[in-house]
Amino acid sequence: MPQFRRASRATRVLVPMAVSAVLLTGCAGGPGEEAARSAGTGETVGGSVSTASPSPATTPSPGPAERAAAGSLLVSDFGADTVTFVDPVKGATGSVRVGTAPYGLVVGRDGRAWTATAEGVAVVDTGTRRLLALVPYATDTGPVTTGEYRGGGMGIALAPDGSRIYVGVNVPGGNGTLEVVDTATLRVTGTVPVGRRPFDVDVSRDGAEVYVTNHDSFDVTVVTAATLRPRRVEVAPYGTEGGLGSWLKPHYTAVRPSDGKLLLPFEGERLAVVDPRTGRTVIEPMTADTHQHGVTVTPDGRLFVVGTGPIDPAEDQGPSLTVREPGGTERVYPLEGPHENVAVSADGRTAYVTGGFTRDGFRDVLSVVDLGSGATRRLPAGSRPLGIAVL
């Protein structure tokens, strides 16, 4: 396809009144557009639920967690206030209640999982399948609600040495914060102002910098870990026209292993390659031609990008998974229905894509993609799964 086709795309998608009501409830909008609804039921698939929710003030610091079965999966159930364990062959095997509307998810080498809920950062022992703590946020995010624009934690990342958790906290109607949690004491030790709706948080390989991807302010906040000093880097390859009504915003970021640059895909058309030291952005072409959300990168430099589906069905392609080689060649695997995030097996042969999605159209499944043959199968996995990690 021609490089960067449709120079007028930004104008075309910035006319909300001409788009269907379904699209207007999606990620183009800003905080407050979705009414608060009641908390999830907490029902699970294939297992029991732990309802304990101890706070750091009443729970001693946990020791090393027991090991979960290698190769199993853990997903955050945005629709059920739980995390669900998933056997990659059989499907869901049990869940643990963690707090309202869990979003991002990360697992440490010690077997502890950390997930960003609307109420706080939940800590789960993946070996015993037990909630260890729920660390409340220092930021005032208003009433606890659910839905796409709810306040509370979104993106989450773990420092390379395991000593700190970094979580992006959404404040409906305003700018968010990055909160730092000490993993030994389970207390918030610092807060940093960032942009609007911090979808994703990443850390440099040496742990010196933290990168917060802010969906509604078209930017990445680069935070120096030692001083918690922030600086803003705009990432807007289509421009910022339309503000909160624009679809062409950053969602998730991957840190390239070879040089530490940030990789942000847009619309299956443009890959923004950002140098976090200088703020300089280089644009490379992509080929999937679909609205893109979740990303991950493997140690060999392969970039995996989730395509959620078309903005304009008359011109854009459907949901997909793009695998981009370090040299820039891409293979696009079609998917059925919208998806949100992706993880890759340890041997690099299988991708697991969550069907939860932040907008309407989600399904309670994972799509399992054989990266060699291209075969795809669906696996039952919790309720509206968003975040995912391979244990």
Side-chain angles (χ1 to χ4, degrees), residues 4-388:
F4 313 146
R5 68 170 182 82
R6 282 180 277 160
S8 62
R9 179 169 192 169
T11 302
R12 177 173 61 83
V13 302
L14 294 176
V15 190
M17 291 303 177
V19 186
S20 70
V22 171
L23 293 183
L24 286 177
T25 64
C27 70
E33 293 184 10
E34 181 174 335
R37 57 185 173 85
S38 61
T41 63
E43 294 180 359
T44 63
V45 179
S48 61
V49 178
S50 169
T51 58
S53 54
S55 69
T58 59
T59 302
S61 300
E66 294 183 17
R67 292 286 180 182
S72 57
L73 310 168
L74 186 67
V75 299
S76 57
D77 298 319
F78 194 72
D81 305 342
T82 57
V83 293
T84 292
F85 293 83
V86 183
D87 182 294
V89 176
K90 300 175 182 178
T93 62
S95 301
V96 177
R97 189 175 299 280
V98 292
T100 303
Y103 201 99
L105 173 71
V106 65
V107 179
R109 295 178 182 175
D110 62 358
R112 282 187 291 174
W114 308 77
T115 187
T117 80
E119 302 172 64
V121 177
V123 191
V124 174
D125 184 319
T126 60
T128 62
R129 300 191 177 190
R130 182 171 62 94
L131 180 66
L132 299 174
L134 183 62
V135 183
Y137 302 118
T139 304
D140 181 6
T141 62
V144 174
T145 64
T146 61
E148 179 181 356
Y149 303 108
R150 65 125 174 91
M154 297 186 74
I156 192 167
L158 181 64
D161 64 3
S163 64
R164 294 172 303 282
I165 281 287
Y166 300 101
V167 58
V169 179
N170 180 44
V171 179
N175 288 342
T177 61
L178 177 72
E179 296 202 2
V180 185
V181 178
D182 185 295
T183 59
T185 65
L186 300 183
R187 295 185 181 278
V188 175
T189 59
T191 62
V192 184
V194 296
R196 296 176 70 110
R197 279 222 289 167
F199 253 62
D200 195 18
V201 177
D202 298 272
V203 184
S204 63
R205 297 187 71 184
D206 61 4
E209 291 185 328
V210 184
Y211 311 115
V212 185
T213 306
N214 306 300
H215 179 270
D216 284 356
S217 50
F218 298 90
D219 57 28
V220 172
T221 304
V222 179
V223 179
T224 303
T227 63
L228 297 186
R229 203 169 279 176
R231 52 191 171 86
R232 177 181 183 267
V233 176
E234 182 175 282
V235 187
Y238 292 91
T240 62
E241 184 183 354
L244 293 179
S246 172
W247 285 82
L248 307 177
K249 305 170 186 173
H251 292 85
Y252 296 85
T253 298
V255 181
R256 188 157 65 186
S258 61
D259 59 8
K261 290 184 178 179
L262 311 182
L263 307 177
L264 294 90
F266 288 79
E267 305 307 312
E269 293 182 332
R270 306 182 182 189
L271 180 68
V273 182
V274 181
D275 186 332
R277 291 166 290 280
T278 65
R280 181 171 179 264
T281 298
V282 174
I283 304 299
E284 299 178 2
M286 297 189 73
T287 60
D289 187 19
T290 187
H291 191 57
Q292 290 179 316
H293 273 214
V295 301
T296 194
V297 65
T298 50
D300 60 4
R302 287 184 301 163
L303 179 68
F304 291 73
V305 186
V306 179
T308 68
I311 293 177
D312 183 349
E315 296 192 30
D316 306 329
Q317 299 299 312
S320 63
L321 174 68
T322 293
V323 181
R324 182 182 179 91
E325 300 294 332
T329 59
E330 295 183 348
R331 181 175 178 180
V332 179
Y333 299 82
L335 298 175
E336 181 183 343
H339 292 69
E340 185 66 23
N341 238 312
V342 59
V344 182
S345 62
D347 62 11
R349 298 178 180 177
T350 308
Y352 305 99
V353 194
T354 57
F357 195 36
T358 54
R359 289 176 47 226
D360 293 336
F362 57 85
R363 300 185 185 183
D364 299 338
V365 298
L366 296 179
S367 286
V368 182
V369 182
D370 184 308
L371 298 173
S373 69
T376 301
R377 61 185 173 89
R378 291 195 154 200
L379 194 63
S383 175
R384 198 173 180 176
L386 291 186
I388 183 170

